[in-house]
Amino acid sequence: MLSQADALSHGVSDWQSTYFWRYPNNVSIAYFLSLWLKFTQLFGITTNLALHILSMLTLDVFIGLMLKTMYQISHQNRRILLGGLAFMALTPFAYTYFLQVFYSDLPSLLLLLIIFRIFFFWSDYSVNKRWFMGLLLVFIATVAQLLKPNIIVMVPAILIVFAILMLKKQHTFVKLILPTLLIFIGFGLSVPAKQAIFHETQYQTNEKYELPSVSWMAMGLNPETAGMYNGKDIARELELPDKAARTEDQKKLIVTRIKDLGPIGLMKQWFNKLAVFLNAAYPQNYYNGGLREAPHWVQKHSGFYNVSVSLMYQVATILLFGCLIYRLWSWRPEFKTQAEVVSLITVITILGYMGFHTFVWETEPRYGQIILPLVLFAVAAVPAPVVLKHVSSHERWHSVAFPTIAMISLIIGAKSISVHFPTTHVAAAQRSQLSPQYGAKMTNIDPNSVVSQRITLNGTANKISLQVHTSSEIDVTFENLKHKQSYKLTKHDADYIYEGKLPAGVYELRIVNDTNQPQPLDIVSTENYHLANDPIKIHGHTNKNASLIYKVLY
């Protein structure tokens, strides 16, 4: 996605792999990102720096607006403000995935927050401000739907709350009808907006590769991966000729899997999917293949770091949920105020996201991050239980026991989830690529030519692998430039691998085509995106925007 955005920002509309044919929703993300890259190019900023700036800006704006919103809707409660600040500034939330990788998740958090903020304060706006906020709401809803289509869960959540209020003959929702219609209009406008983006970027769908919606439903019923993304399922589908054939096949597969699971198995699958969705472990690993060159101190303490980050974020997330559960346990809204109505919509939207990825779609731990602004919003909006001076022991037990038991259970669950940590770590890597599974174009190296790239190891490693093609017949060595010690990599399917002790030092990964035929090699090239610290040399020419695809482990 980043590579395509980089290309689009330079006026290159060549869609370089089947990735976007398979996942056309990501065309919009690439397009929006390309607009930012075009803007930063006016100042001579590289794609790398532009992405870092965008991540910092988006993250800081989200944190600032989230804290301001929490303070306002909690009636200037400083404890709520400090609690929100502690979660976002003193945990891995702001220092791992959202800072390391720019993807649709972070802007989606910000857009979702803005939607609910406008919703909450709508009745406080003046007539003139409502015109501006209304137009902004339509625009934000359109962009949010383009980035994350699952935001559509807001629609049933709002309708459910309105239905409850109508049954209770409460009319506090009347003032929310207009912003609701504006949100729905924004969602609807995403359809022509997507087509406009396709036209602007010269993108054309290709049903030969496109996956139908039922594919993700069938994947969610696969017990082998607890409803998460399954490469085998995708590979099986791609053997079918077109989207229509895949749709029919997946419908049958859904029925088969439901029958095979049975009632108990289906409930177990749903429980596992919910656990995955709410699992906040490993935020530092989301879409992160490792550091380019891990410093020595990182390699020395990586085990402790991974355990600490994972456990800290899980416990912080559990405490946040526990705080919301505690408040909801005794909340009895009378729906006499708009604030109560929006608070209930927030809670039902949270449940909507959870239900969507539990009962309908496939799931991933990363998907659960989308509900964080809603949880923080609800914690601030839902009032804390009123502490009575004189309560019976029975009432006191009910008000304390359930939240306490829930908190203890969740913390124990976090600890049990965190016992499975990686036994290998990345010492150096460049794993960004136009993956072969998406038909990435290979580079042919001429007979008797050499491709090389320097890699620095700041600590001892024990394995290096280079990604090639299964048909490649090349000579690959990894040479320590100081000691002139050379290690020969041997072929294993589509990789060349060496396993053994690799002391710290500066190395050269060297590929030689010693045959009389051109040989395929995976080299990823970009327009203005530096993927590795040291440039690749191809046929004696240096290309700072190209790199081999490799990883060194310890």
Side-chain angles (χ1 to χ4, degrees), residues 309-321:
V309 168
S310 185
L311 190 57
M312 184 189 303
Y313 196 47
Q314 287 181 90
V315 171
T317 303
I318 286 166
L319 291 172
L320 179 62
F321 273 92

Side-chain angles (χ1 to χ4, degrees), residues 221-380:
L221 291 167
N222 190 335
E224 293 181 3
T225 50
M228 294 188 289
Y229 183 90
N230 189 297
K232 291 181 180 178
D233 278 7
I234 298 296
R236 176 181 174 276
E237 278 191 81
L238 292 178
E239 293 176 357
L240 301 174
D242 53 35
K243 184 178 179 180
R246 295 185 191 109
T247 300
E248 291 303 314
D249 175 76
Q250 293 300 291
K251 286 179 180 178
K252 295 176 182 177
L253 182 60
I254 288 173
V255 174
T256 301
R257 283 182 171 170
I258 290 175
K259 288 181 179 178
D260 291 343
L261 286 168
I264 302 299
L266 192 59
M267 292 180 66
K268 181 180 178 181
Q269 179 75 356
W270 289 340
F271 178 83
N272 289 337
K273 288 178 68 179
L274 182 60
V276 168
F277 181 78
L278 297 177
N279 182 11
Y282 306 116
Q284 70 274 28
N285 293 342
Y286 298 161
Y287 282 136
N288 187 351
L291 297 175
R292 291 180 179 182
E293 294 171 358
H296 177 68
W297 66 270
V298 170
Q299 291 187 226
K300 185 176 180 180
H301 303 290
S302 59
F304 172 77
Y305 167 78
N306 283 332
V307 171
S308 300
V309 168
S310 185
L311 190 57
M312 184 189 303
Y313 196 47
Q314 287 181 90
V315 171
T317 303
I318 286 166
L319 291 172
L320 179 62
F321 273 92
C323 183
L324 179 58
I325 291 170
Y326 175 68
R327 287 171 175 256
L328 291 176
W329 182 250
S330 58
W331 186 44
R332 300 296 182 267
E334 297 180 358
F335 304 113
K336 292 181 179 179
T337 65
Q338 190 173 311
E340 287 184 316
V341 176
V342 177
S343 298
L344 184 59
I345 291 174
T346 306
V347 172
I348 301 235
T349 303
I350 293 171
L351 296 176
Y353 274 111
M354 293 167 63
F356 179 74
H357 286 286
T358 298
F359 304 118
V360 181
W361 217 247
E362 56 102 22
T363 191
E364 296 286 345
R366 179 177 60 85
Y367 296 170
Q369 298 299 295
I370 191 64
I371 65 175
L372 284 179
L374 300 180
V375 175
L376 289 165
F377 191 100
V379 165

Side-chain angles (χ1 to χ4, degrees), residues 186-232:
F187 290 165
L189 288 176
S190 67
V191 177
K194 179 185 288 188
Q195 295 306 315
I197 291 172
F198 286 178
H199 177 75
E200 176 68 19
T201 58
Q202 300 177 30
Y203 170 85
Q204 293 182 337
T205 57
N206 189 334
E207 291 196 353
K208 180 181 178 182
Y209 299 97
E210 192 173 345
L211 300 176
S213 298
V214 287
S215 299
W216 310 103
M217 299 178 190
M219 211 180 299
L221 291 167
N222 190 335
E224 293 181 3
T225 50
M228 294 188 289
Y229 183 90
N230 189 297
K232 291 181 180 178

